């Protein structure tokens, strides 16, 4: 197998110099792969994605040690905007959209690359993936439903032409129908565009259909890693981490 | 009476420009900039240096002032406020106070403290509007400048991609950075626009009175009043705020004499804090608990 | 003991210190206080007195800025309040000095209440705005009062007397001020360790946590601002009596910023740092002009510097505030702590605490 798109080695993330949220994590994500991270609340999943996608200078979080490589290039500890330049785009857990901007403005806020024609093309393509956007163009994004906000966040991320798209808790707080919609969209992204995904998800039922590999996170480290099918079917996961009936 | 109203309107235009500078910086950069007064004066003195001391041609004066002020904005962000990223709001406010002190010292060192008269672009200052109602050309120019700045700002923030990105970064700078927006350049732009509006206000005020650091500085600080009345982060709120302050100051001077000019705006501030601290258009920021 | 009390009290138990170390700090301070008047000339001692008065204000400001993390621009206004209170009480009404001092404390507290009450219902920065308004309104009011009462030269105050003892020499002022400053220092230190101090710092560092523990943010913030205002007003009365004149031109916004510079340079939240910061800010002009005097007198730069000393002060205070905020938010106090751990390995343990 060729070199992974994302290589994480011994990544340690801490807040305010104090508490360690991610402790020496190793992770590989290959091109075209869908990688799932599971774990209880506070396990450090969000911190892992933030450690890869970068913290802004105004935040308390820091990558304390370890390495993050994208296509072999060392990008450890770079701020989010630089990571976007390297093709790593995160749809964060909270605040996925600019609430005071309209849906259309949310999309225009994304600094797209390429010439005018290709930008137009990408925009049309993304909008056709999420048809609701066309009807809601002039609505402030704060007034969208939770599911629509999630999709708008993903749409905005797609305009940045990600090589690796990270989505944190896509289904959190959504109705079952909305969860279905979001995962159908993710599924079609993977199927049609071969998108590489790194997702954090508690809803195992929804994630099962698209995940290739899975990692179970417990207090900042991976307790279990492997092919998604094996990990998700393992009795240990079903009982301990997911609380499903065996 | 009518001439008083005209005077109030002319003053309101200047307050609107100053208030705009306060609000813009508060909103995009998240800074309550207590150095606004000093920066207003600095802008006017730079203009005066090019216009009066060096006697440059007017287009050069205007462009040179603009370029200098924009450069100062960029330096202010990269040298000071970028380094303070992540510190509590408290530290940012204190830093603006330190900046105000340093700028005052620099200005006084360079240009002294006496009042100056600036070189004028046109003659015939007084314009008769109606019988017995007159204003200066600079009063009218100030009104026009305020209208232009507000209209341009409205169009810029609503229709231009850069303006939309500035609003995005103002709402959530972390998400903006995650969305690929160059937040630092947004902040530089915020400083540049705010300082430009401040300089225009300072220059207009200096033409209507005289140019002295003390006078322009005090005006710039009082400009927090229209910003506060409008809610500190609402650009459209500045306009009614400026009208209220312009009227309060004009009629305060009429009723209580010239020294009321120094306090009218501050009294309005205390009243606003007492009855409606979030202003007319601000979101409620009262701390729960 | 509730969880709140536990959390708040938790920091109180400190490991027992070796007696030597425990008394080393206060001992050194006591020694310094006793030695200063012996080695300094009258003029130098009067500078120390100015620094002591400033230290009172800086200590007070530390409470609201350092402990609670609020910005106030009203320091010059509160100093003016105390000074004009002294002028009215001492010069116009002929009240005895101690009565005047108590009066200015009460007046300062009251004005703090009035200015802080509306502002502190809202988020912290509104206090900066309200105190800015306070500054301009107070200066305006006293200017009007002064113009009507005595004219632009200002007020002249009688010599302060306490129970028949006239405070009429630099040395006597030194003794009085040293006692007052030491007492205030002790009080501020105790305040910091009290239930109030811990609540204040919790509000400063984690307002949400403080609120979730049922700490009323606005009440605690207001109490800090009132205490601070009362003390600054009192120091204004000392300033007026020690100089024996009061005029409005000395109470500028730049003066207010100077006091902020003392707190920032000294180290936010450190009472000892505030005193060091006050000494630094007050002595800086003298040190600067001494340094300039060392330059060859025919040098153009020397003359230029000497003539514009005031402007250089403004530039230096402002720059130092910004530099310390960026580089060392813990100020001289933090710098001293860092140096002592570097050079005195034995103290490393205690500094870590
Ligand atoms: N901004 C922050 N400041 C301080 N600690 C944080 C912050 N964000 C997360 N943490 C801590 O890091 C740990 C991991 O949190 P997180 O990564 O959000 O977990 P998860 O996403 O798995 O729920 C938790 O103990 C949490 O308290
Ligand atoms: Mg999470």
């Amino acid at each position: 197998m060729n070199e992974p798109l994302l290589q994480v080695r011994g990544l340690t993330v801490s807040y305010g110099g104090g508490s360690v949220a991610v402790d020496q994590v190793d992770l590989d994500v290959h091109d075209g792969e869908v990688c799932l991270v599971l774990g209880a609340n506070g396990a450090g999943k969000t911190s892992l994605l933030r450690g890869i996608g970068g913290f802004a200078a105004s935040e308390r979080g820091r990558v304390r040690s370890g390495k993050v490589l994208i296509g072999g290039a060392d990008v450890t500890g770079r701020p989010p905007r630089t990571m976007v330049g390297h093709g790593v785009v995160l749809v964060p857990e909270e605040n996925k959209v600019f609430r005071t901007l309209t849906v259309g403005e949310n999309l225009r806020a994304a600094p797209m690359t390429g010439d005018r024609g290709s930008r137009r093309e990408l925009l049309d393509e993304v909008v056709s993936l999420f048809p609701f956007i066309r009807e809601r163009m002039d609505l402030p994004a704060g007034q969208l439903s939770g599911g629509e906000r999630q999709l708008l966040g993903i749409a905005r991320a797609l305009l940045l032409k990600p090589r690796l798209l990270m989505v944190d808790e896509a289904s959190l707080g959504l109705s079952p129908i909305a969860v279905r919609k979001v995962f159908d969209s993710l599924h079609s992204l993977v199927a049609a565009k071969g998108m590489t995904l790194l997702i954090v998800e508690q809803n195992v039922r929804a994630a099962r259909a698209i995940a290739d590999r899975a990692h179970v996170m417990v207090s900042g480290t991976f307790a279990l890693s492997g092919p998604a099918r094996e990990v998700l079917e393992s009795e240990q996961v079903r009982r301990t981490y997911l609380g499903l009936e065996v | 009476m009518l001439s008083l109203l005209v005077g109030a309107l002319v003053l309101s235009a200047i307050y609107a420009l100053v208030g705009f500078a306060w609000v813009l910086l508060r909103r995009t950069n998240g800074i309550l900039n207590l150095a606004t007064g000093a920066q207003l004066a600095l802008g006017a003195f730079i203009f005066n240096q090019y216009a009066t001391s060096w006697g440059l041609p007017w287009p050069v004066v205007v462009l040179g002032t603009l370029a200098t002020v924009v450069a100062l904005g960029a330096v202010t962000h990269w040298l000071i406020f970028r380094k303070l990223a992540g510190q509590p709001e408290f530290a940012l406010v204190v830093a603006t106070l330190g900046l105000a002190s340093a700028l005052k010292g620099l200005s006084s060192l360079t240009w002294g403290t006496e009042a100056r008269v600036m070189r004028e672009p046109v003659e015939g200052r007084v314009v008769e509007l109606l019988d017995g109602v007159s204003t200066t050309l600079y009063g009218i120019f100030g009104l026009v400048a305020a209208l232009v700045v507000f209209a341009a700002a409205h169009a810029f923030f609503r229709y231009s991609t850069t303006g939309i990105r500035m609003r995005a970064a103002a709402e959530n700078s972390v998400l903006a950075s995650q969305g690929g927006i160059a937040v630092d350049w947004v902040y530089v732009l915020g400083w540049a626009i705010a300082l430009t509006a401040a300089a225009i206000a300072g220059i207009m005020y200096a033409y209507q009175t005289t140019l002295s650091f003390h006078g322009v500085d005090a005006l710039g600080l009082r400009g927090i009043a229209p910003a506060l009345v409008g809610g500190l982060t609402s650009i459209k709120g500045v306009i009614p705020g400026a009208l209220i302050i312009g009227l309060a100051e004009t009629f305060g001077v009429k009723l209580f004499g010239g020294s009321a000019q120094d306090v009218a705006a501050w009294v309005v501030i205390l009243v606003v804090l007492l009855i409606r601290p979030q202003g007319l258009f601000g979101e409620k920021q009262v701390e729960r608990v | 003991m509730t969880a709140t009390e536990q959390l708040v009290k938790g920091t109180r138990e400190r490991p027992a210190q070796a007696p030597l170390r425990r008394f080393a700090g206060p001992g050194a301070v006591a020694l310094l206080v006793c030695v200063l008047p012996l080695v300094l000339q009258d003029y130098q001692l009067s500078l120390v007195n100015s620094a002591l008065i400033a230290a009172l204000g800086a200590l007070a400001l530390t409470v609201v800025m350092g402990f609670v993390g609020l910005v106030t621009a009203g320091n010059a206004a509160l100093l003016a309040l105390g000074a004009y209170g002294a002028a009215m009480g001492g010069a116009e009404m002929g009240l005895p000095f101690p009565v005047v001092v108590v009066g200015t404390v009460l007046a300062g507290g009251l004005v703090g209440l009035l200015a802080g009450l509306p502002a502190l219902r809202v988020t912290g920065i509104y206090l900066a705005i309200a105190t800015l308004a306070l500054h301009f309104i107070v200066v305006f009011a006293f200017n009007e009062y002064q113009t009507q009462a005595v004219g632009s030269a200002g007020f002249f105050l009688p010599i302060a007397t306490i129970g028949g003892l006239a405070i009429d020499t630099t040395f006597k002022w030194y003794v009085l001020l040293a006692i007052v400053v030491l007492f205030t220092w002790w009080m501020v230190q105790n305040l910091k360790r009290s239930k109030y101090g811990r609540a204040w710092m919790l509000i400063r560092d984690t307002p949400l946590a403080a609120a979730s523990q049922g700490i009323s943010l606005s009440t605690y913030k207001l109490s800090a601002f009132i205490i601070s205002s009362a003390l600054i007003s009192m120091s204004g009365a000392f300033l007026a009596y020690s100089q024996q004149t009061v005029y409005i031109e000395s109470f500028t916004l730049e003066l207010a910023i100077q006091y902020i510079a003392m707190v920032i340079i000294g180290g936010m939240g450190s009472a000892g740092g505030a005193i060091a910061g006050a000494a630094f800010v007050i002595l800086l002009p003298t040190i600067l002009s001494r340094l300039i005097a060392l330059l060859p007198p025919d040098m153009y730069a020397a003359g230029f510097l000497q003539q514009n000393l005031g402007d250089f002060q403004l530039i230096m205070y402002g720059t130092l505030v910004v530099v310390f905020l960026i580089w060392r938010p813990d100020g001289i106090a933090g710098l001293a702590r860092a140096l002592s751990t570097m050079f005195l390995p034995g103290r490393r343990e205690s500094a870590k605490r």
Side-chain angles (χ1 to χ4, degrees):
Chain A
M1 217 179 218
N2 46 12
E3 195 187 35
L5 174 63
L6 169 73
Q7 285 174 280
V8 174
R9 293 289 172 268
L11 187 70
T12 302
V13 173
S14 67
Y15 291 97
S19 65
V20 171
V22 176
D23 193 6
Q24 310 234 4
V25 165
D26 295 335
L27 170 70
D28 283 350
V29 181
H30 290 269
D31 251 323
E33 197 177 50
V34 176
C35 181
L36 170 67
V37 179
L38 306 165
N41 271 337
K45 308 179 296 293
T46 297
S47 304
L48 172 64
L49 294 201
R50 296 298 323 272
I52 297 167
F55 290 101
S58 58
E59 295 180 283
R60 282 155 47 91
R62 291 278 175 281
V63 171
R64 191 191 277 183
S65 62
K67 284 217 173 310
V68 176
L69 307 175
I70 287 293
D74 188 348
V75 292
T76 317
R78 298 288 163 80
R81 190 175 99 86
T82 314
M83 294 307 294
V84 170
H86 282 94
V88 179
V89 181
L90 169 70
V91 180
E93 182 174 359
E94 291 158 345
N95 300 320
K96 307 158 200 296
V97 297
F98 300 107
R99 287 154 189 272
T100 55
L101 271 55
T102 64
V103 171
E105 287 171 341
N106 262 277
L107 297 179
R108 279 186 71 190
M112 297 169 68
T113 53
D115 58 51
R116 186 178 273 271
S118 71
R119 293 202 307 248
R120 185 82 250 166
E121 212 167 285
L122 179 58
L123 189 64
D124 286 342
E125 188 188 330
V126 167
V127 171
S128 67
L129 269 177
F130 309 103
F132 82 93
I133 286 179
R134 214 177 285 283
E135 296 143 33
R136 302 262 201 284
M137 271 301 183
D138 295 323
L139 195 72
Q143 292 177 20
L144 294 176
S145 71
E148 288 169 339
R149 252 179 284 177
Q150 182 69 56
L151 292 177
L152 180 59
I154 294 173
R156 214 162 42 76
L158 291 177
L159 294 180
L160 302 170
K161 297 189 190 156
R163 296 163 75 190
L164 171 70
L165 178 64
M166 303 193 287
V167 185
D168 195 351
E169 307 260 15
S171 68
L172 193 70
L174 301 191
S175 69
I177 298 172
V179 173
R180 177 75 134 309
K181 271 194 188 149
V182 170
F183 272 86
D184 282 351
S185 301
L186 288 175
H187 197 201
S188 67
L189 274 179
V190 173
K193 301 184 79 178
M195 181 66 69
T196 313
L197 288 182
L198 173 57
I199 59 175
V200 164
E201 186 52 63
Q202 309 265 31
N203 189 332
V204 175
R205 256 182 263 271
R208 190 157 19 194
I210 60 169
D212 299 314
R213 289 188 67 79
H215 304 269
V216 177
M217 206 168 186
V218 179
S219 12
T221 57
F222 284 163
L224 192 63
S225 301
R229 206 148 302 244
E230 284 172 29
V231 172
L232 297 180
E233 294 304 317
S234 78
E235 204 150 296
Q236 191 195 354
V237 165
R238 296 171 63 102
R239 216 180 35 239
T240 324
Y241 302 118
L242 308 174
L244 298 180
E245 307 274 325
V246 179
Chain B
M1 186 65 193
L2 200 57
S3 69
L4 266 188
L5 284 178
V6 169
L9 191 65
V10 164
L11 187 59
S12 301
I14 288 179
Y15 270 123
L17 285 170
V18 190
F20 175 81
W22 281 94
V23 166
L24 187 79
L25 217 53
R26 174 86 192 125
R27 204 176 140 153
T28 51
N29 298 37
I31 297 171
L32 182 75
N33 179 20
L34 298 182
T36 303
Q39 287 162 343
L40 218 67
L42 198 66
F45 270 102
I46 290 169
F47 176 86
N48 183 58
Q49 181 72 32
Y50 296 156
T52 315
S53 310
W54 291 348
L56 299 174
W58 288 108
V60 179
V61 170
V62 171
L63 290 179
T65 307
L66 188 68
T68 313
V69 163
V70 167
L72 277 178
V75 168
T76 309
H77 176 68
W78 286 99
L79 232 52
I80 302 177
F81 291 94
R82 201 174 78 97
K83 302 249 163 72
L84 287 170
Q87 293 219 30
E89 186 172 39
F90 159 85
L92 303 184
V93 180
V94 173
T96 64
L97 279 173
L99 184 61
S101 171
L103 289 181
K104 173 158 193 182
L106 273 176
S107 167
S108 154
L109 198 61
T110 319
W111 293 296
T113 49
E114 322 83 68
R116 293 158 179 242
V117 176
M118 301 206 291
R119 178 180 143 213
E120 305 194 25
V122 284
E123 282 179 31
R125 304 170 44 123
V126 179
V127 179
E128 192 106 357
L129 294 176
L130 291 168
D131 241 8
V133 181
S134 61
T135 180
T136 65
L137 206 54
Y138 301 113
I140 293 176
F141 195 81
L143 265 170
V144 172
L147 287 175
V148 168
V149 165
F150 274 81
H154 179 78
F156 174 70
F157 286 116
R158 182 120 333 261
Y159 302 114
S160 82
T161 308
T162 308
I164 290 171
R165 286 189 192 141
M166 282 185 82
R167 277 164 57 211
E171 180 191 318
N172 184 341
S173 65
V174 173
L175 183 63
S177 176
Q178 286 167 340
I181 296 173
V183 176
D184 271 317
W185 286 107
V186 166
Y187 290 154
V188 166
L189 202 55
W191 276 107
I193 299 175
L195 292 195
T196 305
I200 296 175
I203 294 163
M204 288 303 126
Y205 187 73
Y207 268 127
Q208 288 169 31
T209 56
T210 57
L211 175 61
S212 78
F213 190 95
H214 181 78
V216 182
D217 177 32
L219 170 83
L221 282 173
R222 292 200 301 273
I224 198 179
L228 183 74
V229 171
L232 271 192
T233 51
S234 159
I235 289 180
K236 66 175 191 289
V238 169
I239 295 173
L243 288 171
I244 289 171
I245 302 301
L247 286 171
E249 206 172 291
T250 308
F251 283 91
V253 169
K254 177 80 183 160
L255 293 175
F256 304 107
S259 52
Q261 190 196 10
D262 297 336
V263 284
W266 297 111
V267 173
V268 174
I269 282 183
L270 284 193
V271 172
V272 169
L273 284 178
L274 212 55
I275 57 178
R276 201 178 158 83
Q278 75 275 23
L280 296 178
F281 294 90
E283 298 123 53
K284 219 169 165 80
Q285 293 197 18
V286 176
E287 270 171 4
R288 286 161 290 272
V289 190
Chain C
M1 200 187 258
T2 66
T4 314
E5 282 173 291
Q6 203 135 45
L7 198 137
V8 171
K9 288 218 171 106
T11 49
R12 180 146 216 185
E13 272 74 60
R14 308 202 296 164
Q17 292 173 319
L20 190 81
R21 190 167 296 154
R22 186 162 171 187
F23 293 111
V29 170
L31 193 68
L32 187 68
V33 168
C34 296
V35 165
L36 273 182
L38 299 178
V39 298
L40 294 183
Q41 294 154 6
D42 207 45
Y43 164 70
Q44 292 166 327
L45 197 62
S46 74
L47 271 179
V48 171
N49 286 349
S50 302
L52 285 173
I53 292 173
L56 270 181
L59 278 170
L61 198 54
T62 290
V63 172
V64 57
M65 278 184 57
F67 296 173
V68 202
L70 292 169
V71 189
T72 146
N75 314 312
L78 290 163
L79 281 172
L81 183 73
Y84 278 84
M88 282 180 220
E92 304 282 284
M93 296 189 237
L95 296 175
F97 175 63
V99 175
V100 170
V101 169
V102 172
T104 54
V105 168
L106 295 178
L110 185 67
V111 168
L113 175 73
L114 292 179
L117 194 58
L120 289 171
R121 287 180 302 160
V122 208
T123 55
I125 54 153
Y126 283 79
L127 186 67
I129 301 173
T131 49
L132 210 54
L134 179 73
H135 173 84
F136 286 102
I137 290 172
V138 163
V139 167
F140 170 79
F142 286 139
N143 190 22
E144 295 284 297
Y145 171 69
Q146 177 180 303
T147 315
Q148 276 167 24
V150 290
S152 62
F155 292 90
F156 292 91
L157 274 82
I159 289 172
T161 51
I162 302 176
L165 176 70
I167 319 285
D168 52 3
T169 65
T170 312
F171 176 71
K172 284 182 189 164
W173 267 110
Y174 173 77
V175 173
L176 174 66
L177 288 171
I179 291 171
V180 173
V181 168
L182 286 176
F183 176 75
T184 310
W185 187 1
W186 173 81
M187 200 184 78
V188 168
Q189 283 292 14
N190 278 327
L191 215 50
K192 186 177 177 180
R193 290 194 206 112
S194 74
K195 169 178 154 245
Y196 279 88
R198 287 189 296 267
W200 286 335
M201 285 181 270
L202 204 59
I203 289 173
R204 177 193 65 190
D205 297 332
T206 49
L208 284 180
S212 70
Q213 290 189 18
I215 292 174
S216 160
L217 301 194
S218 34
T219 310
Y220 273 87
K221 285 181 188 173
L222 189 59
S223 62
F225 187 60
I226 290 174
I227 291 172
S228 162
S229 301
L231 284 175
I232 297 180
S233 173
M234 178 182 83
S235 79
F238 282 113
L239 186 70
Y241 270 104
S242 73
Q243 296 184 341
Q244 289 193 283
T245 66
V246 176
Y247 52 94
I248 198 67
E249 281 78 13
S250 47
F251 300 100
T252 58
L253 196 57
E254 284 70 40
L255 180 67
I257 300 178
Q258 263 185 36
Y259 275 82
I260 291 174
M262 296 173 197
V263 173
I264 300 293
I265 293 171
M268 269 179 279
S270 156
I275 296 175
F280 178 84
V281 166
I282 294 298
L283 299 183
L284 184 70
T286 315
I287 296 169
L288 273 183
S289 63
R290 284 288 160 84
L291 287 179
I292 294 167
L294 292 180
L295 295 172
D298 51 342
M299 220 171 98
Y300 171 73
F304 181 74
L305 287 170
Q306 198 72 54
Q307 270 167 23
N308 297 293
L309 206 55
D311 294 339
F312 281 111
Q313 268 181 61
L314 289 180
I315 296 172
M316 288 197 67
Y317 295 146
T319 311
L320 283 173
V321 164
V322 173
V323 165
F324 269 96
L325 278 174
I326 293 172
W327 174 59
R328 277 224 85 103
D330 53 0
I332 296 179
L335 207 58
R337 236 171 290 145
L339 286 178
S340 76
T341 43
M342 219 185 317
F343 293 114
L344 306 170
R347 295 199 57 173
R348 198 158 284 165
E349 278 315 301
S350 61
K352 255 191 206 149
R353 221 178 35 228

